[in-house]
Amino acid sequence: MEITGYIIQKVFKNNENGYSIYKLSLEEGDVVTIVGYLPEMSEEVLFTFEVDEVTHPKFGLQYQVKSYQKAEKQNKIGLISYLSSDFFTGIGPVKATKIVNTFGDNAIEIILNDKTVLKEVGFNPLQIERFYNELYKHQLTDTTLVKLFGYGFSPKLSMKLFNKYKEHTLMVLDENPYRLIDEVEGIGFKRADEIAFKLGFKEDNPLRIEAAILYAFNEYIFSNGHTYLEESELNKAIYYILSSSIDYSLINEGITRLIDQERVIKEDNFYSINYVKKAELSVASNLLKFNKTTIFDDKEIFDQISRIEHILNITYTDKQKEAIIHSVQNPITIITGGPGTGKTTVLLGLLMTYSFLFGLNLESPSIVEDIALGAPTGRSARRMKEVMNVPAQTIHRLLGYDYEGKFHYDEVNQLTQKLYIIDEVSMVDIFLADQLFKAIPNDAKVVLVGDKDQLPSVGPGQVLGDMIASNKLEVIHLKEIHRQANNSGIIELANRINNQTVDNYAYNSTDDLFFMKMNEGDIVKSLIALTDDAINQGYDLIEDMQILIPKYKGPVGIDMVNNLFQKHYQKETDIHLQNGSTRFYKGDKVIQLVNAPDKGVMNGDIGVVKEIYETTKKEKVMRVEFSDGIVQYEPMDLDELNLAYAISVHKSQGSEYKIVYMPLVRSYSMMLRKELLYTGVTRAKQYLYLLGDLRLIENASKVLNERRKTKLNHYLNENLEGNRELTPEDFM
């Protein structure tokens, strides 16, 4: 819809990204609130806005601006007020009136077309130049934004482009729209390609070929987790993006240019992309920067461990004691082990030992100034806090990740705590590891905890695996299953899967593990019945139980199970929001699919739809409650969400659930691997149900993931040999 009026008040403006709130007086006299990514707007100009009507839960009816332009009908008084405003130097009401009386309602266009006409109203050459330049600069903002709207950019993205390139925005687009991929967050190859074709770029344009090569690199490493490619893999990835009609020699020339520009790195027949290699080199360098200082000897630490054993009424094994001692003495210690091996008990002992040795009070709010606990996901951070009784947060939050996607802490502005305990490190990719390790000061102690046998990170790299494999860092392997876990059917199965010893397994149910052999057609019905039963026993559908499925499509895929669960549990379906074929209702369990720092939610966060507002114009907004607060979603944001009655095993990493249901059907076979099955099984805290074709458990345990191609292990060893320091050339 369109609304037309005058700005009468600027309520709020974020100078960083242009997000603004204005009061607008409509032509018919009503005053409304408009919100959006807008420049400074004159109060004297009549504007027409294309808007969506939304209802804010606190502030009521608002209009979300999609685009705007100066209204075709600018009245005489408004034009005089505009020209005599603070936008222009030395143009008061008298001169402005004379300009409008002389040139009429089209005065601005006439002056911009020929500035010399200003002589007719008594302007001298200096006044002409100054007024023309000010008029041109202000008009340029509107002209540029209108043009960007025409390219299909959102107001937010349009303002981001204009804030970055100012008066050069359209020139940048005309010269090379593909540079936006590197320089503007939110622009990918496909969007840049669309713009380029609108501007007349051809398929074989060298700039397009270079951009496609870099895009192919990014797509491949993020899809497969590698940090470098072999030549055959690179060619395959490029041809997947570009038309096969493009001459191969042009692609080779593009690769050569990118190598010359040092954006692509070639070593033998391996290719890497500049920023990925930099991240791996940076992690290797920073892992070796920490100062090795031993303040306490073994006996002092051992005495404190004995004291803790008495307090907690437990007995640590020699290996667990070794883990605590090394964590206190060494700059970096890695503690790895599967379920039931006592990682959590070790960390609790470490925290208490450290606090006793350094005279810290773990119950004091100020403990966060000395000790930082972090994990990749909100759910895993909450679990740390519950078990340790010490504040914990996501790694992103620890590093000050802001609403614009920037980190506050880095190698220049470092963190200040002295002890860092990071859990679920298997989930940390090379980029987050780079940001983390360069932000931690050299004199700190770092304890990295994780299960090396779980799925690797979603992003590129295998940071935990490479650190362990390097044999250059202190690693404690916890292998012994402890008494309280010895009778767990879940843990026994997990270890059998991990050790690939599922052959001849009896598949007998235990107190916590249930095998349910059945036909594929009966699985969803059984899942609903099991969930109903759990709810009747007092378990919560949102918090306590989770269905884990490796595949989205198919009769027992994530999408179908979510759809059927929604139909079963949602009774009030009068109001909904829809994205494609997915509908959202009040009470739905949902998952965030991408990092959204502006909303304060991250990829993998699970929440529940609390409310859906419907305006008088049938426009709707949805409020979702996550653990850290309520987030509002408009229809344009719904690509960020999916239903979460069933989620993928990858999305469940870092989380534990009281009850886990895992269907097993033949259509999953191509995706079932030892690491995926092991990760899913170990998400269950109290009960695990495996339903379907149980033979797939043994089959999956025999198939390993393709090993990722990474260089962190190599760089750690290369950097240490001969104590060679990494030089600036290494990062080129």
Side-chain angles (χ1 to χ4, degrees), residues 158-171:
S158 298
M159 278 306 303
K160 186 181 287 187
L161 284 173
F162 189 80
N163 286 338
K164 182 169 183 64
Y165 300 116
K166 302 298 183 186
E167 67 272 16
H168 304 297
T169 303
L170 296 178
M171 181 185 70

Side-chain angles (χ1 to χ4, degrees), residues 589-658:
K589 183 177 184 178
V590 295
I591 186 169
Q592 178 75 17
L593 299 176
V594 296
N595 288 341
D598 56 326
K599 295 185 176 73
V601 288
M602 304 296 287
N603 187 354
D605 285 351
I606 288 180
V608 59
V609 178
K610 299 301 288 184
E611 294 173 285
I612 298 177
Y613 288 89
E614 186 174 86
T615 68
T616 55
K617 300 292 184 181
K618 302 298 181 184
E619 298 286 348
K620 302 163 189 171
V621 292
M622 185 167 78
R623 301 175 75 222
V624 178
E625 183 177 31
F626 294 96
S627 59
D628 290 333
I630 291 181
V631 176
Q632 182 164 302
Y633 292 83
E634 297 170 9
M636 68 183 74
D637 300 324
L638 294 183
D639 281 343
E640 299 178 5
L641 287 176
N642 195 23
L643 295 172
Y645 302 102
I647 63 173
S648 70
V649 178
H650 280 90
K651 293 290 187 186
S652 75
Q653 276 186 274
S655 299
E656 284 185 349
Y657 310 93
K658 291 180 181 178

Side-chain angles (χ1 to χ4, degrees), residues 41-57:
M41 307 197 76
S42 171
E43 295 184 2
E44 290 80 20
V45 177
L46 186 67
F47 289 103
T48 295
F49 298 91
E50 184 183 355
V51 297
D52 285 329
E53 187 179 283
V54 297
T55 303
H56 191 282

Side-chain angles (χ1 to χ4, degrees), residues 320 336-343 346 478-482 485 491 495:
Q320 289 176 317
T336 184
T341 55
K343 296 192 298 293
V346 168
L478 300 177
K479 298 178 180 178
E480 182 180 343
I481 305 298
H482 290 275
I491 290 175
N495 285 314

Side-chain angles (χ1 to χ4, degrees), residues 658-672:
K658 291 180 181 178
I659 306 174
V660 167
Y661 306 104
M662 291 188 69
L664 297 164
V665 300
R666 281 284 164 191
S667 61
Y668 300 167
S669 296
M670 290 296 293
M671 303 184 70
L672 283 177

